[in-house]
Amino acid sequence: MTIITTTTIDPNDNIIILGCGIIGLSTAYYLSLSPTNTNPITLIDPSPELFSSASGFAGGFLAKDWFSPSLTPLGALSFNEHARLAAENNGRENWGYTPSTCISYIQHQDGSKQQKRGDDWLRSGTSRVNAAPVEAEHDEARRPGWLKKKEGDKVEVISEEGTTAQVDPLRLCQWLLGEVMKRGGKVLQPAKATGLVRDDLTGEVKGVKVRDLKDGSERVVKGNRVVITAGVWTPKVFRTLFPQAKVGMRVGSLAGHSIVVRTPIWDTREGEEECHAVFTTHEKNFCPEMFSRLGGGGEVYFAGLNDSTLEVQDPEKGKARPLDEQRGLLREAVGDIIKGGDGGLEVVREGLCFRPVTEWGAPIVSQITGEDLGISVRDGGVWVAAGHGPWGIAMSLGTGVVMADLVEGKETRVDVRGLGYHGPNTHPVVVHTI
């Protein structure tokens, strides 16, 4: 990792990416591959440890057709890109990529004939509203061995063959970072963008002021193309750089607690049992979701305990600390649902991350107009990609492809004009020729 603390101005026009999570890295990766891009790429991130929020602590579940209509093209592009990248770069070994089977685990409720579904929230407003699971007799054979079986419960397969998959997002981020740096990309971390450098005569963007958070030194990264991919911190970064802007970035937070456990009941080192995504409900009124992973010796990621009111922590402080009450609830639920075998369940990791969401449920993938910025961007541009909610990993590579197209002034691979910063289907994306 290249950490630069010199106070001199960079001699070259960088493409400046603010935020080194999976969206920023995906954008940098595809820009680094473009034969028409000759500009160096610099990523800037304030975290003392990279991937210490959503990009490193997410579940890593991928889907091709589980999205609302406005997101379907981007979701399909991203899913196919995940598969292609894994096939060409040994993704199974490098970041645990594998097709998976999705299960709705429906638990029988004592004293009632009603059974709760674990996947109802996935179906609402998506292409899966009318999806019909296959016959229950067939489904039972697909029950993962690590899932407890209780009297009266049942499972249903809710994915079609070849439409869902699994990755370890932390390992994928690490791989993307390595590839970007192989091609000359730089990372300034922990470092913070503190303002713009603008031309005295035209007012156009010429660079970004950056403060090293270790020693306090300051420098300027020269460049007139700025991409903001700062997750839940996107509004703060945007307002810091563009206090005169006529718009704000309406990105909020959905905090999520998670726990990773290791169970000897399922161990990929001993066999080739398929990975599963399991969705269910719990008596404590939340909807657990579980994702088994390759390469961890029987690891299962367990989450679903979410909170939109939890205060977002400053990334400069490092990893967020999970709350004790939520940690206890997750541990209890894990014991209720996952088999431990004779060796019991081993807790590998517990985490709290903040996923960026928008009030209308779709991400912002857009160039910001000069009029809304209140400054001239005639020879450059400002772009934002944030607000992917629980689908950040799934849509990461497709978003990177599209953002690279936008930054280079090309026609995008899929239509993202409905993913603007004003809300759905209000303002088209504006692309300036570079």
Side-chain angles (χ1 to χ4, degrees), residues 105-371:
Y105 174 37
I106 307 167
Q107 302 184 64
H108 179 71
Q109 305 298 303
D110 292 338
S112 172
K113 295 182 179 180
Q114 297 296 319
Q115 291 177 313
K116 293 183 179 180
R117 299 187 62 92
D119 64 315
D120 288 343
W121 69 273
L122 290 168
R123 296 168 180 261
S124 178
T126 73
S127 59
R128 303 196 58 75
V129 172
N130 298 315
V134 295
E135 293 298 323
E137 291 78 5
H138 171 75
D139 290 351
E140 191 58 41
R142 304 293 294 275
R143 177 193 291 263
W146 47 266
L147 185 66
K148 286 185 176 180
K149 182 173 176 59
K150 300 177 182 178
E151 184 177 356
D153 72 0
K154 66 177 181 177
V155 298
E156 292 178 350
V157 174
I158 58 174
S159 61
E160 297 179 3
E161 197 73 25
T163 63
T164 56
Q166 180 66 38
V167 299
D168 182 335
L170 175 59
R171 292 163 59 198
L172 175 55
C173 284
Q174 291 168 339
W175 184 86
L176 288 170
L177 176 60
E179 292 299 301
V180 169
M181 295 185 71
K182 282 180 186 177
R183 299 181 181 89
K186 297 181 291 186
V187 177
L188 309 184
Q189 175 267 337
K192 181 178 181 179
T194 59
L196 289 179
V197 175
R198 298 169 62 185
D199 186 277
D200 291 338
L201 296 178
T202 66
E204 294 183 32
V205 176
K206 291 298 181 182
V208 172
K209 300 175 184 177
V210 179
R211 179 185 301 125
D212 186 302
L213 296 178
K214 285 186 177 179
D215 62 17
S217 62
E218 296 188 345
R219 65 171 296 166
V220 171
V221 178
K222 185 180 178 183
N224 62 1
R225 285 181 283 178
V226 179
V227 183
I228 303 176
T229 57
V232 296
W233 300 280
T234 293
K236 183 177 181 180
V237 172
F238 182 80
R239 187 57 64 187
T240 296
L241 295 184
F242 306 102
Q244 74 290 331
K246 300 177 182 178
V247 297
M249 294 299 109
R250 292 183 287 163
V251 177
S253 168
L254 180 63
H257 282 79
S258 65
I259 183 172
V260 178
V261 297
R262 184 174 292 122
T263 171
I265 300 299
W266 177 68
D267 189 336
T268 55
R269 294 174 300 184
E270 302 298 330
E272 294 297 325
E273 184 180 350
E274 63 188 328
C275 285
H276 288 83
V278 179
F279 303 92
T280 189
T281 59
H282 191 264
E283 60 184 8
K284 294 297 178 65
N285 296 318
F286 78 104
C287 295
E289 48 197 61
M290 294 146 272
F291 310 108
S292 53
R293 291 175 171 174
L294 292 179
E299 286 187 3
V300 180
Y301 175 96
F302 191 102
L305 196 58
N306 303 317
D307 188 347
S308 61
T309 66
L310 195 61
E311 183 178 358
V312 176
Q313 181 172 303
D314 191 326
E316 297 175 30
K317 296 180 179 179
K319 291 181 181 178
R321 180 183 176 85
L323 302 181
D324 290 340
E325 181 179 352
Q326 282 73 9
R327 290 176 61 239
L329 182 53
L330 280 182
R331 286 183 177 234
E332 177 186 345
V334 164
D336 291 341
I337 298 172
I338 297 179
K339 293 179 182 178
D342 294 337
L345 292 172
E346 175 190 351
V347 175
V348 178
R349 188 195 73 191
E350 294 173 297
L352 167 62
C353 69
F354 302 96
R355 289 162 296 191
V357 296
T358 64
E359 60 197 63
W360 54 89
I364 299 168
V365 182
S366 178
Q367 184 170 0
I368 314 301
T369 67
E371 179 181 0

Side-chain angles (χ1 to χ4, degrees), residues 1-15:
M1 185 175 301
T2 305
I3 308 298
I4 301 178
T5 59
T6 178
T7 57
T8 59
I9 297 179
D10 279 291
N12 299 312
D13 283 328
N14 296 266
I15 297 176

